[in-house]
Amino acid sequence: MTAALEIKNINKHYGSFNALSDVSLNVREGEFFALLGPNGAGKTTLISILAGLCVADSGSTAVMGKDVSSDYLEARKKLGVVPQELVYDPFFTVREMLTIQSGYFGIRGNTDWIEEVTSGLGLQDKMDENMRTLSGGMKRRVLVAQALMHKPPVIILDEPTAGVDVELRRGLWKFMKNLNSQGHTIVLTTHYLEEAEVLCERVGMLKNGRLAALDTTQNLLKRFSGIRLVLRTKKMVLPSALNEYLLEVAADGEWVFRLSDYSEVEVILRELRRVEDEVISMVLREADLEDVFFSVIKED
Amino acid sequence: MVGFYTLLYKELLRFWRVVFQTVAAPILTALLYLLIFSHILQDRVTVYIDVGYTQFLVPGLAMMSVLQNAFANGSSSIIQSKVTGNIVFLLLAPISNFQVFLAYLLASVIRGVSVGFGVVLASIIFINISTFNFFWIIIFAVLGAGILACLGLLAGIWAEKFDQVAVFQNFIVMPMTFLSGVFYSIHSLPEFWQQVSRSNPFFYMIDGFRYGFFGKSDVSPMVSFLVVGIVFLSLSAVTFNVIKSGYKLRT
Ligand SMILES: Nc1ncnc2c1ncn2[C@@H]1O[C@H](COP(=O)(O)OP(=O)(O)OP(=O)(O)O)[C@@H](O)[C@H]1O
Ligand SMILES: [Mg+2]
């Protein structure tokens, strides 16, 4: 089976800055994939290279088996991209914009699909409004609709939920899940990690232009799993016996312990009693993708 | 082909939406030039015997409008799309580089020629103008518009800000237009400046265009056609290759 996205040894630099270093990864057909990473990690750069908006220094990329540079027309037909920036053409209304977009992809009219997508995205009341007059969230919805006009087998969304209200976010994900169940491959970037955790089967994490983790969401959670115990004590002097449990010191100074079992809570408390320290506050929770993310980002 | 037609349609719609600014205003400007220059110079300048100065001026002004508007269309469309960022919609679309080039070229030529046509039509109301050979008029209008459309596209692609396009316009397009014989025949210039004018491709566009009206010109229309044709083809090749290379568009 051909990969939906095939990324081989991509390098990209701006001046002396390496935006992407030797990134390789495949996204399988039908996958729901999250591309994560802190600001400036290179997510948008990678997407731009896949979309042909940006040319890599070396390496190759293909969409549904079509090379992005040598077979650019076919590769573009297979791909729908929602850009991160809120771009729009101030000359046109929503309906005109979507009709033009369809035409760019060789589809005349397209009224039924325009109807379906826009009502799914809650745009039906805005169809004849000028793009200029729409709110930011509404412009974002139009960008999503535009990317779907040619029913591309692969859809890439670069932070589609930035600046979008809760209702649309839910609606958007329902829409995407539905497309995914119909066989569309979906790749998204987001800074809301709980979204990625719920939606995506597999996750790739970029860090300083390198692929720092690539695995199924479940495996990642398992690998970094366990229980998080967040603790503040009176003295805040760590007994040496607790060193092995300490994961990090949070920004506000609290200790974050990583436990493999709830019974280990007792071990921690016992050690604290031994040094005559007292607990002020305590939170216990299961590890989530955010913990995985921070562990990966902190690793060298 | 639907992609190509859609892009062409979008480009035409873009200037048609603001037709007052893109077509009516330049026609009015040309008419003002005509009014003032002809009033001042009618009895003082004779270019060709039996062609009044006002008559002489009309094709020059019409051609100047064709050139300026063809340039303005290509350059402003590209720079606007770049600055607002919506050029990505085009860059993501499966439209071949050649079709992108052709759509932008055609839209600019259509705008340029429409304005030129408007200038001639509006002038006919006030001035009695005859045409000698319609074929040459069309040929030179289209090729001239094509040349300036290419220059406009190149300027729009190269520029990163609006004022960089203005630099291109004010320091290259305007001087070359004015020094090409819009307001005079180069035979009225000193020998040295005649030579300079002959190395300006704009001179041949206007001279050939004028031949279509009067059947008289400074150089033979075949020579002008050759020069203008070669310049058009070369600039087209350059522009197409710049688009194909992704220069400043696909970073
Ligand atoms: N055109 C450019 N010129 C110079 N540097 C650039 C350019 N585009 C991106 N960069 C740099 O490359 C790095 C990666 O940028 P990129 O936009 O890919 O990050 P990102 O992971 O998408 O971040 P964010 O989460 O903020 O969107 C950044 O440090 C950015 O400053
Ligand atoms: Mg980004």
Side-chain angles (χ1 to χ4, degrees):
Chain A
M1 200 165 80
T2 52
L5 293 176
E6 191 179 313
I7 301 166
K8 268 197 224 152
N9 309 103
I10 288 294
N11 284 285
K12 175 73 184 176
H13 71 92
Y14 293 109
S16 62
F17 174 77
N18 285 322
L20 290 173
S21 311
D22 202 32
V23 174
S24 295
L25 90 99
N26 281 2
V27 175
R28 285 185 290 273
E29 226 178 300
E31 255 190 315
F32 210 130
F33 186 91
L35 186 62
L36 305 178
N39 290 136
K43 304 178 294 294
T44 300
T45 307
L46 186 59
I47 291 171
S48 302
I49 289 170
L50 282 166
L53 297 174
C54 181
V55 185
D57 303 332
S58 62
S60 67
T61 50
V63 182
M64 300 297 284
K66 309 291 181 192
D67 189 273
V68 166
S69 58
S70 65
D71 204 357
Y72 70 98
L73 292 178
E74 286 306 313
R76 285 184 210 166
K77 283 183 196 159
K78 308 278 183 211
L79 188 65
V81 178
V82 180
Q84 179 176 5
E85 304 287 335
L86 270 187
V87 291
Y88 61 95
D89 195 323
F91 278 95
F92 302 112
T93 65
V94 175
R95 193 188 303 281
E96 288 167 339
M97 209 57 236
L98 295 176
T99 308
I100 289 171
Q101 177 81 13
S102 303
Y104 280 177
F105 282 83
I107 310 160
R108 281 215 168 91
N110 210 15
T111 43
D112 290 347
W113 182 236
I114 289 179
E115 191 71 27
E116 189 176 335
V117 170
T118 48
S119 56
L121 290 167
L123 278 166
Q124 61 275 54
D125 303 333
K126 308 281 176 188
M127 296 306 283
D128 296 306
E129 277 187 36
N130 188 289
M131 286 300 301
R132 218 177 8 214
T133 64
L134 297 187
S135 73
M138 287 296 165
K139 287 191 184 109
R140 178 80 64 196
R141 297 179 200 209
V142 178
L143 280 179
V144 175
Q146 271 183 270
L148 299 178
M149 282 299 104
H150 59 295
K151 302 185 183 161
V154 185
I155 303 160
I156 303 183
L157 304 106
D158 197 351
E159 288 190 42
T161 48
V164 154
D165 65 29
V166 184
E167 196 189 333
L168 170 66
R169 208 181 292 170
R170 293 226 181 106
L172 186 61
W173 293 138
K174 212 173 115 197
F175 205 80
M176 288 301 148
K177 268 204 269 198
N178 193 13
L179 285 171
N180 182 240
S181 67
Q182 290 167 24
H184 295 263
T185 308
I186 296 177
V187 175
L188 62 91
T189 78
T190 179
H191 291 290
Y192 300 105
L193 297 175
E194 63 280 11
E195 281 181 357
E197 186 174 336
V198 175
L199 289 164
C200 301
E201 305 145 54
R202 224 153 56 95
V203 171
M205 289 191 189
L206 281 175
K207 175 185 153 187
N208 298 330
R210 286 175 190 282
L211 197 61
L214 176 66
D215 211 334
T216 61
T217 315
Q218 278 194 330
N219 281 347
L220 283 173
L221 287 171
K222 223 179 283 168
R223 175 140 62 95
F224 295 90
S225 71
I227 297 141
R228 298 287 180 271
L229 173 67
V230 185
L231 207 61
R232 178 181 293 282
T233 67
K234 229 170 195 166
K235 295 183 184 167
M236 288 307 279
V237 180
L238 191 69
S240 59
L242 294 186
N243 251 331
E244 58 171 311
Y245 296 102
L246 187 73
L247 187 67
E248 60 176 339
V249 178
D252 51 4
E254 288 171 325
W255 292 321
V256 181
F257 295 107
R258 175 175 166 190
L259 313 178
S260 49
D261 201 286
Y262 283 103
S263 66
E264 287 174 345
V265 175
E266 187 42 40
V267 181
I268 307 263
L269 294 179
R270 196 171 56 222
E271 285 302 318
L272 288 175
R273 270 197 301 276
R274 201 185 354 248
V275 297
E276 295 181 336
D277 200 351
E278 260 175 64
V279 172
I280 295 175
S281 72
M282 179 166 114
V283 177
L284 254 179
R285 60 175 175 80
E286 299 274 343
D288 57 17
L289 198 55
E290 202 158 309
D291 298 307
V292 176
F293 185 80
F294 281 113
S295 311
V296 170
I297 297 310
K298 270 198 328 190
E299 275 171 6
D300 293 313
Chain B
M1 282 309 268
V2 177
F4 164 76
Y5 287 124
T6 306
L7 179 57
L8 177 60
Y9 168 77
K10 189 212 88 176
E11 281 301 297
L12 294 177
L13 201 58
R14 202 190 68 85
F15 83 76
W16 191 248
R17 282 277 155 90
V18 280
V19 67
F20 262 97
Q21 186 192 325
T22 52
V23 179
I27 292 176
L28 183 67
T29 310
L31 287 182
L32 286 174
Y33 270 115
L34 192 63
L35 184 75
I36 293 165
F37 278 87
S38 62
H39 182 70
I40 297 173
L41 298 175
Q42 175 61 40
D43 301 324
R44 303 193 191 186
V45 181
T46 311
V47 187
Y48 302 120
I49 308 156
D50 71 4
V51 178
Y53 183 67
T54 315
Q55 274 82 2
F56 173 84
L57 204 52
V58 171
L61 282 172
M63 193 58 169
M64 188 169 97
S65 309
V66 170
L67 304 181
Q68 281 179 356
N69 283 281
F71 178 87
N73 198 69
S75 59
S76 67
S77 177
I78 299 261
I79 191 74
Q80 267 174 15
S81 291
K82 278 196 344 184
V83 169
T84 55
N86 63 44
I87 191 126
V88 296
F89 302 140
L90 181 62
L91 297 177
L92 290 171
I95 304 174
S96 74
N97 293 314
F98 186 68
Q99 291 181 341
V100 169
F101 164 67
L102 205 61
Y104 274 99
L105 176 73
L106 272 179
S108 301
V109 168
I110 290 173
R111 161 139 164 229
V113 171
S114 308
V115 176
F117 190 67
V119 171
V120 174
L121 272 190
S123 311
I124 287 176
I125 301 172
F126 312 104
I127 300 155
N128 183 18
I129 308 162
S130 57
T131 55
F132 172 73
N133 183 330
F134 216 67
F135 170 75
W136 284 123
I137 295 177
I138 296 291
I139 284 283
F140 282 101
V142 168
L143 288 178
I147 289 172
L148 270 288
C150 287
L151 288 177
L153 293 176
L154 289 172
I157 291 170
W158 164 78
E160 270 141 37
K161 289 175 288 186
F162 286 102
D163 46 350
Q164 285 172 326
V165 171
V167 167
F168 212 95
Q169 166 116 29
N170 294 330
F171 287 88
I172 299 175
V173 176
M174 281 299 272
M176 282 178 85
T177 324
F178 272 89
L179 298 177
S180 64
V182 173
F183 300 108
Y184 51 85
S185 156
I186 60 164
H187 287 309
S188 56
L189 294 176
E191 182 60 28
F192 173 76
W193 289 106
Q194 282 193 35
Q195 290 310 318
V196 172
S197 299
R198 280 172 197 276
S199 61
N200 177 1
F202 287 40
F203 157 73
Y204 297 91
M205 301 176 205
I206 287 175
D207 199 57
F209 186 67
R210 206 175 263 139
Y211 179 82
F213 285 85
F214 307 128
K216 292 191 178 77
S217 55
D218 291 345
V219 300
S220 140
M222 275 316 286
V223 172
S224 296
F225 174 64
L226 230 71
V227 172
V228 173
I230 289 169
V231 171
F232 171 68
L233 289 179
S234 325
L235 267 177
S236 292
V238 170
T239 313
F240 166 62
N241 278 294
V242 165
I243 291 175
K244 191 172 143 202
S245 76
Y247 171 74
K248 293 244 187 168
L249 294 176
R250 300 179 195 272
T251 48

